[in-house]
Amino acid sequence: YMLTHGNVQAYLTRMPALHAIIEGFGLPGAVEILFATGTAIVLYFAMRRMETGYAFAAALVCGPLFAVHAYLADCALLLPAGFLIFAATSGWIVRGAMAALMSPPVLTLLSHGFPASITIPLLMIVVLVLIVAQPQCCSLNASSGANGHCC
């Protein structure tokens, strides 16, 4: 019901979710379902090769992104995700994207409405792409990675 009736929430485009992008551009709910399903499949296979903490960080980023109904408070899930990402990788690009995503100035863009508000879900998508695109992760305890981190 929530995917097909935009009047359920007065500020759908101010949510940190994929649903806000879909609603903002006036795309049908089927696009959201296809994107979420495709991402879940890609993440499933990517997470099988990742260190557990790094995979959990990816799952935490997906929380507010794929929620049909999310608010700024739901972005609290990004804090543990950020800490896990900083611990699991030395890659400055994914770290920088996650730091930007967690920063208060970026999160205040939700209050500006569409199109500024879609910055948050778009950054979540960028972080997920960067996580999946990382080379195969090694264990945090392994010595084969750079300083024991994912390569």
Side-chain angles (χ1 to χ4, degrees), residues 3-4 18-32:
L3 291 175
T4 58
L18 176 65
H19 193 65
I21 297 172
I22 300 300
E23 188 68 28
F25 288 112
L27 299 172
V31 173
E32 182 176 2

Side-chain angles (χ1 to χ4, degrees), residues 88-112:
T89 184
S90 58
W92 62 271
I93 296 174
V94 69
R95 282 179 161 195
M98 193 64 205
L101 180 58
M102 295 186 315
S103 71
V106 170
L107 292 174
T108 59
L109 291 173
L110 286 176
S111 65
H112 297 290

Side-chain angles (χ1 to χ4, degrees), residues 25-112:
F25 288 112
L27 299 172
V31 173
E32 182 176 2
I33 292 168
L34 287 173
F35 185 82
T37 303
T39 304
I41 291 168
V42 169
L43 279 175
Y44 170 76
F45 288 107
M47 291 168 89
R48 291 174 51 125
R49 67 170 173 82
M50 291 179 187
E51 190 271 329
T52 306
Y54 204 53
F56 188 60
L60 286 173
V61 171
C62 286
L65 180 63
F66 293 126
V68 178
H69 196 79
Y71 288 109
L72 182 60
D74 297 313
C75 288
L77 288 172
L78 299 176
L79 291 173
F83 293 131
L84 288 167
I85 286 171
F86 287 122
T89 184
S90 58
W92 62 271
I93 296 174
V94 69
R95 282 179 161 195
M98 193 64 205
L101 180 58
M102 295 186 315
S103 71
V106 170
L107 292 174
T108 59
L109 291 173
L110 286 176
S111 65
H112 297 290

